[in-house]
Amino acid sequence: MAKIRPSQGTPYARIMGVGGYRPTRVVPNEVILETIDSSDEWIRSRSGIATRHWASDEETVAMMSIEASGKAIADAGITPEQIGGVIVSTVSHFKQTPAVATEIADRIGAGKPAAFDISAGCAGFGYGLTLAKGMVVDGSAEYVLVIGVERLSDLTDLEDRATAFLFGDGAGAVVVGPSQEPEIGPTVWGSEGDKSNTITQTVPWDDYRNGTVERFPALTQEGQAVFRWAVFEMAKIAQQALDAAGITSADLDVFIPHQANMRIIDSMVKTLKLPEHVTVARDVETTGNTSAASIPLAMERLLATGQAKSGDTALVIGFGAGLVYAATVVTLP
């Protein structure tokens, strides 16, 4: 029986560069209040959100991804031709096929990399990061581009008082490459499909196509159920990621949770008993909930503003529709 040759990979993988793109239009709460009966104070107290970015017609999923990717590739110090894989996490690319990853790969000049989309909601960046790590360590690609991108304004019901103020648009990207040291820890990930109806699309696309419903599909959620799950269950997952990496909260420099809601973030910090020296990403205040894009966007802002620095140890955790989750410890690029 023939033996298969072992993979020619690398011992470990790391995040080498990060980039982000936020649409030019900034939307304050006052605009949201034109279509729902609420107040700026109520929105801020419930979510911590003051503004969010909404994309123009020109700021497509592909365009925003390309802008973020160019920054990440430059930050990593490599060329597009060296990219061997492109992974895009999104739920708001409306063309079923082909994968937008293939268009992005071509337009950035990456040659002929493996390219595919994944759908894992707000945990999508963590899923993509884990897949990229495996590709690099296995040797199937030396450098992998991971993109989280959303145009959630296209899926927002502006008359839904519970969700109209939550969502924003944007793209974040990282380059994952080889490392001689473990700089991306084990991933703790999973799903709880019995709770799938707590965050979902209002109706399937074919109901809209067939005329069963007249309103375009939008995102909806059971806010209190999601809040309880995120605060209590995801704090446990975050702790498991710390344990898997062999560190404690005292060893952390940075905490970058999915930017779903400021109250969720603050509650997780309290439940995890994070020390005061840990920098906590609170990008949600000015960016809103950008689902798969939220973690890399928050990571880029922390590094750009000096709130975090290269070499810092960060805990990242994403959680959302599915319900799905993914948490890991990384070294910042």
Side-chain angles (χ1 to χ4, degrees):
M1 182 180 294
K3 292 186 177 180
I4 297 174
R5 180 182 297 171
S7 300
Q8 302 299 307
T10 181
Y12 306 106
R14 65 188 177 104
I15 298 175
M16 299 178 59
V18 60
Y21 180 85
R22 292 173 171 81
T24 56
R25 183 188 177 193
V26 177
V27 180
N29 289 338
E30 286 73 18
V31 172
I32 307 299
L33 297 176
E34 294 174 2
T35 52
I36 61 171
D37 180 17
S38 187
S39 68
D40 177 66
E41 180 183 4
W42 188 88
I43 292 174
R44 288 175 186 258
S45 66
R46 297 284 292 183
S47 68
I49 299 172
T51 61
R52 74 284 291 146
H53 295 256
W54 283 354
S56 65
D57 291 343
E58 292 74 29
E59 291 169 315
T60 63
V61 165
M63 176 270 188
M64 293 189 292
S65 298
I66 290 165
E67 291 294 322
S69 298
K71 296 175 184 177
I73 292 168
D75 192 41
I78 65 170
T79 64
E81 293 83 2
Q82 292 176 276
I83 296 292
V86 177
I87 302 172
V88 177
S89 179
T90 185
V91 298
S92 48
H93 176 58
F94 287 170
K95 183 180 287 187
Q96 192 71 36
T97 192
V100 72
T102 58
E103 176 187 351
I104 294 165
D106 177 65
R107 290 175 61 183
I108 65 173
K112 299 179 180 180
F116 55 95
D117 298 350
I118 60 174
S119 175
C122 304
F125 175 75
Y127 274 55
L129 184 65
T130 303
L131 294 172
K133 172 188 173 183
M135 292 167 71
V136 171
V137 172
D138 180 67
S140 63
E142 186 174 12
Y143 302 103
V144 180
L145 180 65
V146 180
I147 303 165
V149 57
E150 302 291 3
R151 274 183 51 123
L152 295 183
S153 58
D154 292 334
L155 285 168
T156 298
D157 180 353
L158 294 179
E159 297 178 0
D160 181 0
R161 188 172 184 270
T163 61
F165 57 89
L166 285 175
F167 302 117
D169 304 336
V174 299
V175 172
V176 177
S179 174
Q180 294 304 308
E181 300 291 336
E183 298 190 42
I184 301 176
T187 299
V188 178
W189 56 352
S191 64
E192 298 184 30
D194 60 314
K195 301 179 181 65
S196 61
N197 286 335
T198 55
I199 306 174
T200 187
Q201 186 172 300
T202 49
V203 293
W205 295 114
D206 53 356
D207 279 3
Y208 181 73
R209 178 195 63 189
N210 297 336
T212 306
V213 295
E214 294 183 359
R215 292 180 69 90
F216 192 76
L219 295 175
T220 186
Q221 67 176 23
E222 298 175 13
Q224 287 303 313
V226 173
F227 180 86
R228 289 192 297 270
W229 177 77
V231 170
F232 298 109
E233 297 305 318
M234 291 305 98
K236 297 175 186 177
I237 299 301
Q239 184 60 55
Q240 289 176 31
L242 291 174
D243 296 341
I247 67 172
T248 68
S249 59
D251 300 313
L252 280 179
D253 300 302
V254 184
F255 179 44
I256 312 177
H258 163 50
Q259 302 294 291
N261 178 305
M262 195 75 79
R263 292 170 61 215
I264 290 175
I265 294 170
D266 290 341
S267 296
M268 289 184 71
V269 169
K270 183 177 180 180
T271 303
L272 287 167
K273 299 179 181 178
L274 295 184
E276 289 188 6
H277 75 263
V278 176
T279 297
V280 179
R282 292 186 170 89
D283 193 45
V284 66
E285 180 180 4
T286 56
T287 307
N289 180 341
T290 55
S291 189
S294 79
I295 290 175
L297 278 174
M299 182 184 295
E300 186 220 25
R301 175 161 282 174
L302 289 176
L303 290 166
T305 58
Q307 297 176 72
K309 63 183 184 301
S310 175
D312 278 353
T313 300
L315 169 63
V316 300
I317 178 169
F319 44 87
L323 294 171
V324 295
Y325 55 85
T328 188
V329 175
V330 303
T331 300
L332 295 183

